[in-house]
């Protein structure tokens, strides 16, 4: 796939038009004062973050800054010690983790976690929300409805798999995919849930440059279709080219936030990255 | 002979049902249940006690199964939020506790004296010729269905590997099994002759017999190990041959069952129970088959593998585990009702941990996550049990207690080599074990 992207050098600060948009849209996700300690370690310390609706927001910081932990708190994979998270206008920090996907918040994992012993297609279908066939007794009572839902979702899954180039692998076990393909599958699977917001933990880690470009391309396309993203990434080219707004964490706390260009020029950020 | 085969079929059906419950819990959902017999105990005692108080049998059995699934609810609520090993420990504890309660609550369960003389299903039925023909037709359809499932498995295996490889490995496997049988029978025959002739002092004979057994085991394990390393698809061939033999034995048993149904009134309670349990297994089998292929089945398979992912994709993991545990418990409770009808006397000792162990053997042997495998596992298990109980006694000069220990040892040995040669079990999918995260 030769893309628009190829004509623009990555990392150039000349990118998206909407960076320049003066007014920020309302927040889809808004966290305030989040704290999490592991024993004595304060992994996340009074962190705040805003994710405006319809935008791509970046989250960067040195290794061990607490980014993944923050994701776990936002997705309720971990319980926060204190703080609030508002999603789509209501507080979610008390909800069980599984309730979030239904509300439209889905996350991926830093180390891709595909279900190796299910087929790629089943991995996709699993992500569908509100399936009739997931209720025990309806399996026997409404077979027709389930079958038609399955057909519909299968078509959608094929479509998404095709768009990320995994259609040829659809019937294989997901465990037979390469590392980069797993990243793609995770992304595609997240998309299957019909999310409003996707939290991506290092989508480009361990992925070859061409594939990174492809992933970025997809993210941009989906974003244009109205999906909001929050992306953790160490690859600055990706952050700079994709994001409308970037948040920086260091040692468990907020360090800065601003447009990619502002962040790039911020001396405190440079200091945190270069150390001491 | 008919009565003997009928009771063999009933036991196989009961343990298929029992094993299907465990396979749902462990094979598909990954719940480690080391106290499966607890559900059976509840099912059996509830059914019997209620029917003794005049509750109709079918209702008593359903209440028994529901009670068993409520036990699943109780266990699940207390442990399923914790790490998986807690479930394993609690289930062992609960199953032993229930047995001890049954021993000591003499007011209700009559303790070790056991409960006798409770009503049995269909014992007063007096079917005319037409009804008996109908029963035979029904049985034929159900058995045909089972063989068709087996055939589908075979066809799938055939598609996956080259035919020549399968043929040659099956041939080797057949030779292997035949020579194993010959060796065992030969040694047994020889030692019986020696014992009858009293040419050797008993301790010499015992030592010789022991040496011969160890020799056979070592030789065949060694041969099998070489074959595993050198012959492609050898364990598949072995599975095919064993499944075929089981299929042939099944046809033989089917013949006798048909005759038994024809002479229904010779032993109405047993013949009726056979038909009932076979039909129940068929019904449950079809229901489960649909279930594990449904979106619900997809979710529990996902949970088996990585519950964190399932949760992130919006699945209520706890609720699914609970459902699986309860449904598996329900099936075991139903098996318990049938078990009590088959035994006609219910003692607490019928529900020792060994029964759980047998269910695990069946599921592991057949292949975790394969319902057909559970059916095959149960058939092989009971065929083995019967053969060794009645045939081994005639060929190996050991007294019953030692023979019993010997038989369990062999099962342990089989499970060991199974884990080494074919860890996925006979009909399990290899990929489900070898593909890592
Ligand atoms: N489960 C845990 N138990 C104890 N400490 C933890 C746990 N999870 C994270 N930590 C600690 O919290 C800190 C933040 O970890 P986190 O994974 O959030 O970093 P990160 O910003 O995602 O880093 P990276 O960029 O390397 O992925 C680290 O010091 C880590 O050791
Ligand atoms: Mg991280």
């Amino acid at each position: 796939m030769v893309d628009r992207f190829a004509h623009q050098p990555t990392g150039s600060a000349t990118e998206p038009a909407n960076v320049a948009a003066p007014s920020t849209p309302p927040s889809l996700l808004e966290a305030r004062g989040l704290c999490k300690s592991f024993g004595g370690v304060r992994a996340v310390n009074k962190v705040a973050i805003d994710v405006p609706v319809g935008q791509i927001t970046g989250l960067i910081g040195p290794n061990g800054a607490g980014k993944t932990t923050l994701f776990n708190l936002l997705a309720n994979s971990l319980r926060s010690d204190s703080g609030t998270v508002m999603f789509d206008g209501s507080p979610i920090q008390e909800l069980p983790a599984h309730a979030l996907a239904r509300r439209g918040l889905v996350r991926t994992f830093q180390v891709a976690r595909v279900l190796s012993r299910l087929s790629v297609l089943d991995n996709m279908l699993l992500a569908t929300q509100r399936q009739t066939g997931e209720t025990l007794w309806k399996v026997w009572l409404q077979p027709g409805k389930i079958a038609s839902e399955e057909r519909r979702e299968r078509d959608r899954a094929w479509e998404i798999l095709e768009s990320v180039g995994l259609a040829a692998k659809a019937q294989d076990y997901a465990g037979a995919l390469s590392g980069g393909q797993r990243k793609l599958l995770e992304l595609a699977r997240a998309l299957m849930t019909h999310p409003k917001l996707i939290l991506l933990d290092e989508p480009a880690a361990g992925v070859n440059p061409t594939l990174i470009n492809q992933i970025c391309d997809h993210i941009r396309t989906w974003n244009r279709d109205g999906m909001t993203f929050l992306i953790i990434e160490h690859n600055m080219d990706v952050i700079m080219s994709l994001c409308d707004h970037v948040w920086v964490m260091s040692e468990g706390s907020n360090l800065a936030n601003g447009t990619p260009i502002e962040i790039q020029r911020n001396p405190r950020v440079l200091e945190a990255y270069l150390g001491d | 002979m008919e009565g003997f085969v009928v009771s063999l079929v009933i036991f196989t059906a009961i343990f298929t049902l029992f094993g299907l419950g465990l396979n749902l819990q462990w094979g598909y959902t990954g719940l480690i249940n080391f106290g499966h017999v607890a559900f059976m105990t509840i099912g059996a005692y509830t059914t019997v006690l209620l029917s003794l108080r005049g509750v109709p049998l079918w209702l008593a059995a359903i209440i028994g199964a529901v009670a068993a699934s409520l036990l699943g609810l109780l266990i699940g609520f207390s442990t399923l939020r914790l790490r998986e090993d807690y479930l394993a420990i609690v289930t062992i504890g609960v199953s032993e506790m229930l047995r001890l309660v049954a021993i000591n609550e003499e007011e209700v369960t009559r303790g070790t004296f056991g409960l006798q003389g409770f009503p049995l299903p269909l014992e007063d039925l007096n079917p005319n010729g037409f009804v008996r023909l109908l029963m035979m037709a029904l049985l034929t359809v159900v058995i045909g269905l089972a063989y068709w499932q087996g055939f589908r498995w075979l066809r799938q295996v055939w598609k996956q590997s080259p035919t020549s490889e399968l043929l040659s490995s099956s041939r080797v496997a057949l030779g292997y099994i035949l020579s194993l049988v010959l060796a065992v029978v030969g040694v047994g025959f020889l030692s019986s002759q020696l014992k009858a002739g009293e040419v050797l002092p008993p301790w010499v004979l015992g030592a010789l017999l022991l040496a011969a057994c160890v020799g056979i085991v070592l030789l065949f394990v060694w041969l099998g190990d070489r074959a595993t390393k050198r012959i492609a698809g050898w364990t598949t061939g072995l599975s095919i041959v064993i499944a075929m033999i089981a299929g042939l034995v099944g046809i033989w048993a089917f013949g006798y069952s048909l005759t038994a149904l024809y002479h229904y009134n010779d032993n109405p309670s047993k013949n009726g129970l056979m038909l009932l349990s076979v039909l129940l297994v068929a019904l449950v089998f079809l229901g489960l088959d649909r279930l594990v292929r449904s979106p619900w089945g997809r979710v529990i398979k996902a949970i088996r593998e990585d519950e964190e992912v399932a949760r992130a994709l919006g699945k209520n993991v706890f609720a699914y585990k609970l459902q699986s545990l309860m449904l598996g418990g329900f099936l075991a409770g139903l098996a318990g009702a049938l078990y009590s009808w088959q035994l006609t006397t219910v003692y607490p000792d019928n529900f020792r941990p060994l029964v759980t162990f047998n269910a695990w053997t069946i599921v592991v042997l057949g292949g975790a996550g394969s319902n057909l495998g559970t059916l095959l596992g149960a058939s092989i298990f009971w065929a083995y049990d019967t053969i060794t109980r009645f045939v081994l006694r005639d060929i190996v000069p050991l007294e019953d207690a030692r023979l019993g220990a010997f038989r369990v040892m062999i099962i342990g040995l089989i499970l060991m080599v199974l884990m080494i040669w074919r860890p996925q079990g006979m009909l399990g999918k290899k990929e489900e074990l070898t593909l890592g995260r």
Side-chain angles (χ1 to χ4, degrees), chain A residues 110-181:
Chain A
Q110 177 164 2
V111 179
R113 284 166 93 161
V114 299
L115 301 164
S116 321
R117 298 182 285 171
L118 297 187
S119 72
V120 170
L121 191 61
D122 273 343
N123 265 270
M124 295 291 285
L125 292 174
L126 179 73
T128 313
Q129 302 299 302
R130 297 168 203 273
Q131 301 181 63
T132 310
E134 285 186 351
T135 310
L136 184 58
W137 51 89
K138 288 185 185 163
V139 169
W140 300 296
L141 298 184
Q142 306 184 346
K145 186 167 176 208
I146 293 170
S148 76
E149 274 180 19
E150 283 279 288
R151 261 195 307 277
R152 197 183 65 219
E153 293 303 325
R154 197 174 298 243
D155 289 347
R156 213 162 71 79
W158 271 105
E159 226 169 81
I160 297 176
L161 282 177
E162 242 152 39
S163 77
V164 298
L166 283 177
K169 298 273 180 189
Q171 307 290 355
D172 295 359
Y173 281 102
L177 296 181
S178 76
Q181 288 170 330

Side-chain angles (χ1 to χ4, degrees), chain B residues 50-69:
Chain B
L50 285 180
S51 65
L52 279 173
R53 280 160 186 70
V55 177
L57 274 179
W58 61 271
L59 187 62
I62 289 178
I63 294 177
V66 169
S69 70

